[in-house]
Amino acid sequence: MTDDRSTGSGGAVRAYPPTMNRSQPQLATSYAPGAMFTWEGGKGACIAVPIDGPTIDFSARQTRLDQILESLEEACQNWLARGTAIIRNAPIYEVQLLDTCFYNPVRNSVEIARDRFDFMRPERMGYLPGPLVYRCDTCEKIKEYISTAHQVADPLPRSCTSENGRHHESRWRQLDVVYVHWSGSIEGLSPYRYTADRAGEVRKIPRCQCGSEEFRLIKQGNQFSRWRFRCSGCRAEREVYQTDPFSLALLKPRMDQQIPHEWSEINMIPVSYRASPVFYVQSSRFIVYNDQDVVALMKPGRRGDLISKVASLHGFGGADPTDQEIRDQLDQHGHSQLWPPYQVMRDQQVAAQSSGNDALAAVFGDSARMMRDGWLQSGFVVRTAQASPALVTQINGRVDFARRYDPVRSTIEHDALRRERIDPATASADLRQAHADLCAEHGDRDLEDGYERRVAEDLGRAGILDARLIRNLDMVEFSFGFTRVSATPETVQKDRHMPVRLMGFPPLPNHKRPIYVIEQQNEAIYVRLEPEVVAEFLHRNGVLPSPPAAPRTLGSVLIETYSDFGPFLRDFGVRDEASRVRTRDIASMTYLLLHTMAHHVMHGVARYSGLDLGSMSEAIYPADLAFLVHRRGMTEDLGNISSMWRDHNGAFLRYLVARRELRCGSGTLCDHRGGACPACVMIPETSCIAGNQLLSRAALVGGRAPLWDINQTRLQGYFEVVRDLRNAGAIGGG
């Protein structure tokens, strides 16, 4: 924690602004541009400012850049949607919610233009003194500067004159109170106020009505409402308040037109930046998928390809591919070496048929078909799928689906995850097998066999089909802006709901806005549940009459019947019976199950690995009955998850199915809230992708239905279903 405030030897002129050294996560968040902070010891307050630096070259990683821009656009759209839904008498304008770098007022839409931003690693950050308002502790005189250059040109005087005319040595101190507004503005505690003239131009009047420019700040107690500025000329007093220049220019003309805005929307509030936060950085994160189709297939022009892709992934019926299509697909997936043996079999089949030897032709034909079926099963080759009308309708209408919960998007992402991080042996480790770095019994064949039997049995008791450790999951976390007063799109000031403006970071010298990107590889646990058990879970809870016939997957029905969750899961956040508008269905029950299980796994990892719950997050793939639990910290990955599995896998697996671990001390209070409270399966909201909605212990162990569900019949828990099916011999023991 050092900074570069020294001028160097020989009085050399330092680069301006000066820079500080902090860790990359700190510079991208706590010390991002616009943040106010004090140096060690509390002396001297400053504001972080952006400085030039090398930009990240994404030319060879276009998919990564596309994901950043897509995530940024989603964040802005969600912010706008939530802000415009605020209920109050006066209207809310889009420019009150989004900075101009995120919003085009001409087109009235979110617009993220690539050329407006520079993508940078948070390696260095500049700072400037601020606020530039000083008060003499002896005579209470106020001295304000408009810039650091102004302060250099006109330094603070060494002596002052008190109101009784006596001279004394000055004791200047930075005021630790600032004016702040939810529009993003922040000002020093100035006695000079902004006004709007008849033409609507906003400017600050740097003097009293008597013509004097000198004021004193009289503090009468600790309450700001009792502070007063006193003019040294006419001794008139004025309250400590300021008008926000942005809101004044926007709302004052509308007030003159009798639109019911109030001055409480325009006036800034005094805040001690030492006691209350005045800066909330806004950031986003995502898992990196190298397959360009993850982004490209979501575009309107690729809708037909998207339909075919989803249909092929979820077993919608179709014709077998021709030999030429098989060859093309093998080449596309990097398996061209498999084609020559197949071609030999096909040529021998044709030759045998030509010679009239039908028996030999059948032998070669069967061999070629077995090779083709193996490729179909492994995914090297796919059938030309024929989508159902319901699937076509869903994909054509998914433009309004909340991106985060869209099962079509997540199934495409899951397919990329499988190909890039699950299937390659070097990218992940099957936890059912004994690996040298994950199994303490490794090296002794008998102990390894015992480990594999025990893990298979424990995973079977939990209804888990596939469990893998991903060693290096590519993650990107980026910060792109900030807010004042509140971290959410809405704040309440004087009993009035106000829209909070999402601001881009201040511009660089080249007039572009910086976006600070941290790229890292973290460990993760991948879990996929047993499809037969999930189907029975859905059947017993009244949402699935019967499983789809093979080769259709359960995910195909989920996608066909999905009803949009909405970006903020409002339908699932009800707190009373009268607010219920949603009944359980395949999508909501599957997400409820996977999401609850993911949180349960995170609690287990936290218990046995030493990781904090806030340092983990999740990804849910509902159509594929899978989820991912991963580290989200941007500090160095020390292998906590892999060491946890190596040293405590038995205790961890017992934890997953122990009913006592899913009990809650809050009792009926937790049940009334829907089966989840801070004492059981919740995690910090900043880590949860669904804001701790769609959670219930009952999804695992049975119990009362969530409060949002119109159908209030008791839930059958997933672990109950697993136990019953195992006792009946319907599923194996792992």
Side-chain angles (χ1 to χ4, degrees):
M1 297 278 288
T2 61
D3 64 278
D4 299 340
R5 287 181 282 180
S6 61
T7 59
S9 60
V13 178
R14 67 188 175 193
Y16 195 79
T19 60
M20 57 180 163
N21 293 329
R22 298 288 189 272
S23 68
Q24 287 195 17
Q26 284 180 310
L27 293 182
T29 54
S30 301
Y31 295 94
M36 293 195 67
F37 62 93
T38 55
W39 296 110
E40 291 81 352
K43 293 185 177 180
C46 292
I47 299 178
V49 296
I51 58 174
D52 279 331
T55 58
I56 301 175
D57 182 10
F58 285 113
S59 58
R61 301 177 296 167
Q62 184 62 39
T63 301
R64 190 167 300 207
L65 175 60
D66 291 342
Q67 284 187 264
I68 292 175
L69 295 175
E70 195 175 42
S71 297
L72 177 55
E73 182 175 355
E74 180 200 19
C76 293
Q77 288 174 340
N78 288 346
W79 191 276
L80 187 64
R82 188 171 175 182
T84 52
I86 297 173
I87 299 175
R88 64 177 199 169
N89 294 330
I92 293 173
Y93 311 101
E94 288 83 354
V95 292
Q96 290 180 285
L97 290 161
L98 291 177
D99 197 352
T100 53
C101 63
F102 304 130
Y103 182 77
N104 188 328
V106 176
R107 299 181 184 177
N108 293 321
S109 63
V110 173
E111 187 174 287
I112 308 299
R114 168 69 180 85
D115 57 1
R116 295 182 187 175
F117 301 96
D118 269 347
F119 299 90
M120 312 172 69
R121 291 186 177 87
E123 296 173 344
R124 305 281 282 178
M125 194 66 67
Y127 64 91
L128 293 172
L132 298 178
V133 180
Y134 302 86
R135 177 179 181 268
C136 177
D137 285 346
T138 302
C139 64
E140 303 173 323
K141 186 182 295 183
I142 293 293
K143 180 71 173 177
E144 179 183 3
Y145 295 99
I146 60 175
S147 67
T148 52
H150 181 200
Q151 183 170 344
V152 171
D154 181 18
L156 289 167
R158 294 180 179 273
S159 62
C160 296
T161 303
S162 60
E163 287 186 305
N164 59 14
R166 293 182 179 180
H167 295 279
H168 60 85
E169 184 179 357
S170 300
R171 296 172 56 197
W172 296 106
R173 186 192 301 271
Q174 261 182 310
L175 280 174
D176 61 355
V177 178
V178 294
Y179 294 120
V180 67
H181 195 271
W182 40 96
S183 71
S185 301
I186 191 166
E187 297 267 350
L189 203 69
S190 171
Y192 313 129
R193 294 175 183 166
Y194 289 101
T195 60
D197 59 22
R198 293 182 179 179
E201 181 180 355
V202 175
R203 53 199 178 98
K204 183 183 281 189
I205 307 299
R207 63 185 61 86
C208 179
Q209 292 180 346
C210 71
S212 173
E213 298 180 3
E214 185 178 286
F215 283 83
R216 302 177 192 273
L217 176 60
I218 312 301
K219 297 182 179 181
Q220 300 174 352
N222 295 325
Q223 297 179 353
F224 299 143
S225 60
R226 299 182 61 188
W227 291 14
R228 293 292 185 272
F229 288 111
R230 179 184 297 160
C231 174
S232 296
C234 64
R235 299 183 63 81
E237 293 188 354
R238 57 178 62 180
E239 295 181 7
V240 175
Y241 86 90
Q242 180 64 282
T243 52
D244 171 43
F246 171 81
S247 301
L248 184 63
L250 177 69
L251 301 181
K252 182 59 169 63
R254 290 169 169 80
M255 293 171 66
D256 294 340
Q257 298 170 7
Q258 305 305 312
I259 297 176
H261 292 289
E262 298 179 2
W263 280 103
S264 60
E265 299 177 61
I266 298 175
N267 292 337
M268 305 176 81
I269 56 175
V271 173
S272 170
Y273 57 79
R274 298 179 189 270
S276 302
V278 293
F279 178 83
Y280 300 88
V281 72
Q282 299 294 324
S283 62
S284 184
R285 64 183 180 274
F286 59 85
I287 299 169
V288 175
Y289 304 102
N290 297 321
D291 187 353
Q292 294 183 358
D293 278 350
V294 169
V295 176
L297 283 175
M298 300 300 115
K299 297 180 180 179
R302 298 287 302 277
R303 194 167 293 168
D305 295 334
L306 179 59
I307 292 172
S308 299
K309 181 71 172 180
V310 174
S312 66
L313 289 174
H314 289 283
F316 286 83
D320 288 337
T322 65
D323 283 356
Q324 184 59 48
E325 289 172 339
I326 290 175
R327 184 172 187 175
D328 292 342
Q329 290 188 44
L330 289 174
D331 290 342
Q332 180 182 356
H333 292 102
H335 302 295
S336 55
Q337 75 278 3
L338 300 178
W339 170 254
Y342 178 84
Q343 186 178 28
V344 169
M345 294 295 177
R346 295 290 283 171
D347 290 345
Q348 294 287 354
Q349 179 186 8
V350 171
Q353 288 173 339
S354 299
S355 64
N357 192 340
D358 292 340
L360 185 60
V363 171
F364 287 121
D366 288 342
S367 298
R369 185 167 56 256
M370 290 175 64
M371 295 174 68
R372 183 197 62 198
D373 290 345
W375 297 337
L376 287 168
Q377 186 175 1
S378 63
F380 297 164
V381 175
V382 296
R383 291 182 173 87
T384 304
Q386 296 176 349
S388 67
L391 177 63
V392 174
T393 299
Q394 283 289 80
I395 291 182
N396 287 336
R398 61 172 290 276
V399 64
D400 295 324
F401 288 175
R403 179 180 182 272
R404 181 173 296 182
Y405 310 109
D406 178 5
V408 175
R409 177 184 293 274
S410 66
T411 202
I412 298 298
E413 293 177 346
H414 180 264
D415 176 59
L417 179 73
R418 293 284 306 184
R419 287 185 281 105
E420 296 173 11
R421 293 296 171 186
I422 303 298
D423 293 338
T426 57
S428 69
D430 186 349
L431 295 177
R432 293 175 180 267
Q433 300 176 5
H435 298 271
D437 61 331
L438 297 175
C439 175
E441 298 89 343
H442 189 271
D444 186 309
R445 187 62 256 179
D446 291 337
L447 293 178
E448 289 181 9
D449 290 342
Y451 163 86
E452 292 176 358
R453 286 193 300 270
R454 174 176 57 79
V455 170
E457 171 66 20
D458 288 343
L459 291 177
R461 290 170 57 220
I464 295 174
L465 175 66
D466 197 7
R468 293 176 180 264
L469 176 84
I470 300 178
R471 303 181 189 278
N472 294 299
L473 182 70
D474 283 328
M475 300 286 301
V476 166
E477 186 157 346
F478 65 97
S479 53
F480 55 87
F482 65 93
T483 58
R484 305 286 188 194
V485 180
S486 172
T488 63
E490 180 179 2
T491 184
V492 178
Q493 300 293 329
K494 297 182 178 179
D495 299 323
R496 189 176 179 89
H497 295 268
M498 308 290 188
V500 178
R501 194 179 190 211
L502 174 58
M503 301 291 294
F505 291 131
L508 294 158
N510 63 5
H511 305 295
K512 292 185 178 183
R513 306 294 187 104
I515 291 179
Y516 297 101
V517 181
I518 299 177
E519 302 170 276
Q520 189 150 344
Q521 293 182 323
N522 290 329
E523 288 186 334
I525 290 181
Y526 169 83
V527 173
R528 186 157 60 100
L529 302 185
E530 288 274 7
E532 295 83 359
V533 182
V534 176
E536 181 64 19
F537 167 80
L538 296 175
H539 174 70
R540 292 192 184 185
N541 286 295
V543 297
L544 181 70
S546 61
R552 286 275 298 270
T553 67
L554 193 59
S556 69
V557 185
L558 185 149
I559 293 174
E560 284 181 324
T561 59
Y562 175 73
S563 178
D564 184 30
F565 287 175
F568 309 111
L569 299 175
R570 295 187 186 279
D571 293 349
F572 304 99
V574 301
R575 286 292 179 264
D576 56 72
E577 297 180 8
S579 302
R580 291 175 186 157
V581 295
R582 190 118 183 181
T583 190
R584 64 182 73 166
D585 55 24
I586 293 175
S588 60
M589 289 299 295
T590 303
Y591 200 97
L592 179 74
L593 169 62
L594 293 169
H595 192 205
T596 305
M597 179 77 88
H599 278 221
H600 190 42
V601 168
M602 276 190 273
H603 277 263
V605 172
R607 172 175 292 193
Y608 295 105
S609 71
L611 290 173
D612 185 78
L613 278 172
S615 69
M616 291 181 282
S617 191
E618 67 215 324
I620 310 293
Y621 307 100
D624 301 278
L625 312 182
F627 62 85
L628 198 68
V629 168
H630 59 83
R631 278 192 71 252
R632 64 176 290 261
M634 288 295 131
T635 54
E636 184 177 357
D637 194 321
L638 300 178
N640 295 70
I641 295 179
S642 57
S643 62
M644 179 276 297
W645 181 265
R646 181 182 61 252
D647 299 334
H648 304 290
N649 60 79
F652 172 73
L653 290 173
R654 289 192 296 272
Y655 170 90
L656 289 187
V657 294
R659 188 177 182 89
R660 66 178 180 273
E661 302 296 349
L662 286 161
R663 292 174 182 162
C664 178
S666 298
T668 57
L669 172 63
C670 183
D671 290 335
H672 182 71
R673 290 168 61 102
C677 78
C680 47
V681 293
M682 283 188 175
I683 64 173
E685 277 199 24
T686 54
S687 299
C688 179
I689 63 171
N692 282 325
Q693 301 291 353
L694 271 174
L695 285 172
S696 177
R697 293 171 295 122
L700 298 180
V701 295
R704 179 175 177 170
L707 188 60
W708 55 263
D709 186 8
I710 293 176
N711 178 6
Q712 282 291 295
T713 57
R714 181 187 184 276
L715 286 186
Q716 288 282 312
Y718 184 74
F719 292 155
E720 293 178 322
V721 176
V722 173
R723 180 198 60 207
D724 293 346
L725 293 181
R726 282 164 59 86
N727 290 340
I731 58 173

